[in-house]
Amino acid sequence: MIRLVIHSSDRKLQSVLAVTLGSEYDVLVEPDQERIKNILAGGQTDVLILDFDSNLGSLDKLLDFLSEVRTFHTPVVVMTDDETRATAMQLVEHGAYDYFRKPPHLLELKLVVRRAHERAQLERELDAAREELHHFSGCDQLIGSSGRMQVVYNLIRRVVDLDAHVLIQGESGTGKELVARAIHNLGERAKLPFVAVSCGAIPETLIEAELFGHEKGAFTGAGAVRAGYFETAGDGTLFLDEIGELSPHTQVKLLRVLQEKEFCRLGSSRPIPLRARLLFATNRYLSEMVEKGTFRQDLYFRIDVLKIEVPPLRERPEDIPTLASHFMRLYADAYRKPVREIRRSAMELLTAYSWPGNVRELENLIQRGVILSETETIGPESLPAMIQDSPHLTVVTSFAGDSFEEQLREYKVRLANKTVLECNGNKTLAARKLSITRAYLHRLLRQGSDEKELAS
């Protein structure tokens, strides 16, 4: 049962809400702000309803109160009348989950409360998952709870302790190295070296010496013995990024190492066993390169044993708010600035943008926003013109103020129903096609039914 606390000094409203909600929710009515904070601090509240029109002091004091209760991570829903709608929207801008008008429509009230509760549950689950990953260095940087990222997480868990080669494929800036580090840090080699090499950043004339090492006098300028990356990785992990940039000659050399599981330093014929696990990454489609003859087919089959596709940011827009908030906190702390939130209008612009530079571009943009912001929030004015001029999300009609969360939720509901129709009503197949659980699919379908009932 959802535990609901109502903060209001209107005795008539208290009585009405206690009666109408008491049969389905665990309801507590409390007019005192200090007691509210004590209750929330106990961690036993799922949703707080705030009656703005009660005698709660000035708007500034109310905003301060809202800032305090937000620290308890309990979703706050504002209740107001038409005359104060603009103020209610300002409260939403400062962290309230949503608002509804008085007198409340019973179905509307229940739907808003349930959605606030579900959102809080999802955030807690995500925080728990991050906390679990945080115990492994580097893995806490993998952020996102979308269906596409869940597929990535599942594949990572399956391959962590296998010695098979893994090919990580994705556009530039999607976080391929983070995936490689997660595979390393979650596996048995976690305490051993992780060596990352960008093949595209090393000149062709030096790549072999860098990878295999060399003996003294192996070539002009080789004044001493030097171990290469294959050797320095030891029993750990060697991550070869931008593998598609290797020349045909170096591809032949790498293929031999993978076949023989040994290599020689330049200028030496003494074989050295390959002990490291190899992970590969590319932002190019190697299969197309094979067809064009620019990448060896036999090498492609050697490295493409297990493939992890890292999705571009435009294909997982539901992760943008989480990522943006993460980077905001990161750079606010780094630059010691009091930036604490991204305004909804700015978040809508971020979600509407196509992100050709993916997560790396989003991080750089939020870093810029933190630097430029002169208040506690990042607004549209802190975003570059290319973001402000990007096409906006299609606005859907919503009784709850057309907030960003409402629009995104409506899109998910419509996508879920469309996919079920495409799968001829087979919900298991539809859930698999959307890369979500069957339970989550049912929840989306149920939300759609609730909205139709409310609209009728």
Side-chain angles (χ1 to χ4, degrees):
M1 181 175 288
I2 297 177
R3 294 160 297 188
L4 185 64
V5 173
I6 301 172
H7 182 27
S8 175
S9 59
D10 185 335
R11 293 187 177 182
K12 183 177 180 180
L13 184 64
Q14 292 176 11
S15 176
V16 170
L17 292 179
V19 172
T20 56
L21 298 176
S23 60
E24 299 182 42
Y25 304 94
D26 183 1
V27 179
L28 173 64
V29 178
E30 178 54 63
D32 186 81
Q33 291 187 16
E34 291 303 318
R35 291 178 184 172
I36 286 285
K37 285 185 275 188
N38 291 334
I39 293 169
L40 297 181
Q44 300 300 311
T45 303
D46 293 317
V47 180
L48 169 64
I49 293 181
L50 173 63
D51 180 11
F52 172 71
D53 303 313
S54 291
N55 184 21
L56 299 177
S58 67
L59 176 60
D60 289 339
K61 290 183 179 180
L62 189 55
L63 292 177
D64 290 340
F65 173 67
L66 182 59
S67 298
E68 289 185 62
V69 298
R70 281 177 60 195
T71 62
F72 300 114
H73 305 291
T74 299
V76 180
V77 177
V78 179
M79 179 168 47
T80 183
D81 56 27
D82 291 340
E83 285 76 21
T84 56
R85 180 181 178 186
T87 305
M89 292 303 296
Q90 188 175 353
L91 290 173
V92 172
E93 289 272 353
H94 282 77
Y97 169 74
D98 213 331
Y99 80 94
F100 59 90
R101 300 168 187 166
K102 295 195 301 185
H105 186 290
L106 185 58
L107 285 178
E108 176 185 347
L109 176 58
K110 291 181 178 179
L111 188 57
V112 171
V113 168
R114 187 167 70 245
R115 284 178 169 176
H117 175 54
E118 289 176 352
R119 177 183 173 180
Q121 280 186 312
L122 289 174
E123 289 178 348
R124 282 194 290 267
E125 291 171 5
L126 183 58
D127 288 340
R130 284 186 194 145
E131 183 63 26
E132 182 180 353
L133 287 175
H134 186 70
H135 294 297
F136 305 93
S137 175
C139 298
D140 55 320
Q141 295 302 310
L142 276 173
I143 296 172
S145 58
S146 62
R148 295 293 301 276
M149 287 305 294
Q150 293 299 330
V151 172
V152 173
Y153 298 148
N154 289 334
L155 288 173
I156 289 174
R157 284 193 289 268
R158 291 184 182 186
V159 304
V160 288
D161 289 326
L162 301 179
D163 283 329
H165 301 147
V166 177
L167 177 61
I168 305 167
Q169 187 167 292
E171 297 177 6
S172 295
T174 51
K176 297 185 291 297
E177 184 173 338
L178 292 179
V179 172
R181 289 185 180 275
I183 294 173
H184 173 79
N185 292 332
L186 291 172
E188 297 175 348
R189 302 175 190 261
K191 296 182 179 180
L192 299 172
F194 177 88
V195 179
V197 181
S198 177
C199 299
I202 304 175
E204 174 60 24
T205 55
L206 297 177
I207 187 70
E208 288 187 50
E210 292 293 313
L211 291 177
F212 307 125
H214 58 77
E215 297 291 338
K216 181 178 180 180
F219 52 86
T220 303
V225 176
R226 184 179 183 278
Y229 291 122
F230 280 107
E231 198 169 347
T232 56
D235 293 308
T237 300
L238 177 60
F239 172 56
L240 297 180
D241 196 5
E242 299 183 55
I243 194 70
E245 304 301 321
L246 291 179
S247 68
H249 176 73
T250 308
Q251 291 178 34
V252 173
K253 295 280 189 176
L254 177 59
L255 176 62
R256 181 171 179 79
V257 172
L258 300 184
Q259 289 174 336
E260 304 297 331
K261 298 188 183 302
E262 61 183 22
F263 59 94
C264 298
R265 293 177 186 162
L266 295 184
S268 172
S269 58
R270 181 178 64 87
I272 301 174
L274 174 64
R275 307 197 312 270
R277 180 190 186 168
L278 296 184
L279 303 176
F280 306 92
T282 179
N283 60 2
R284 305 174 68 178
Y285 288 99
L286 298 185
S287 57
E288 295 180 2
M289 295 181 65
V290 169
E291 293 177 1
K292 295 177 181 178
T294 56
F295 199 86
R296 294 184 63 94
Q297 185 180 57
D298 45 6
L299 177 59
Y300 173 62
F301 289 144
R302 282 282 179 180
I303 66 177
D304 190 21
V305 177
L306 296 166
K307 181 183 293 181
I308 297 179
E309 293 272 358
V310 186
L313 191 54
R314 63 181 174 275
E315 293 183 7
R316 52 182 186 113
E318 58 268 49
D319 289 333
I320 291 175
T322 306
L323 284 162
S325 298
H326 166 76
F327 293 134
M328 176 200 65
R329 291 189 294 268
L330 178 69
Y331 288 108
D333 291 342
Y335 299 134
R336 297 180 180 179
K337 297 200 67 173
V339 181
R340 291 295 176 263
E341 71 173 317
I342 301 172
R343 292 211 300 270
R344 185 177 59 194
S345 53
M347 192 68 79
E348 289 175 350
L349 290 173
L350 296 177
T351 309
Y353 185 56
S354 60
W355 298 109
N358 292 297
V359 179
R360 187 182 296 126
E361 182 182 8
L362 174 62
E363 178 179 2
N364 291 342
L365 189 143
I366 296 299
Q367 181 182 8
R368 176 183 185 274
V370 170
I371 293 173
L372 295 179
S373 178
E374 297 180 352
T375 65
E376 293 186 354
T377 65
I378 295 177
E381 67 281 356
S382 300
L383 304 179
M386 63 181 181
I387 301 292
Q388 296 186 43
D389 296 338
S390 63
H392 289 201
L393 285 172
T394 302
V395 178
V396 296
T397 302
S398 169
F399 64 84
D402 294 330
S403 68
F404 162 74
E405 290 84 2
E406 290 293 333
Q407 295 181 43
L408 183 57
R409 189 179 297 108
E410 176 67 19
Y411 170 77
K412 289 182 180 180
V413 168
R414 286 189 281 116
L415 181 60
N417 281 279
K418 178 176 177 289
T419 307
V420 170
L421 289 175
E422 291 174 350
C423 296
N424 298 317
N426 189 324
K427 295 185 178 63
T428 300
L429 181 60
R432 189 179 302 124
K433 188 175 181 180
L434 291 170
S435 298
I436 61 177
T437 64
R438 184 181 170 91
Y440 184 48
L441 176 65
H442 276 288
R443 190 162 61 197
L444 291 173
L445 298 175
R446 187 174 65 249
Q447 286 178 5
S449 298
D450 290 340
E451 289 171 358
K452 289 179 181 179
E453 180 183 352
L454 182 61
S456 62

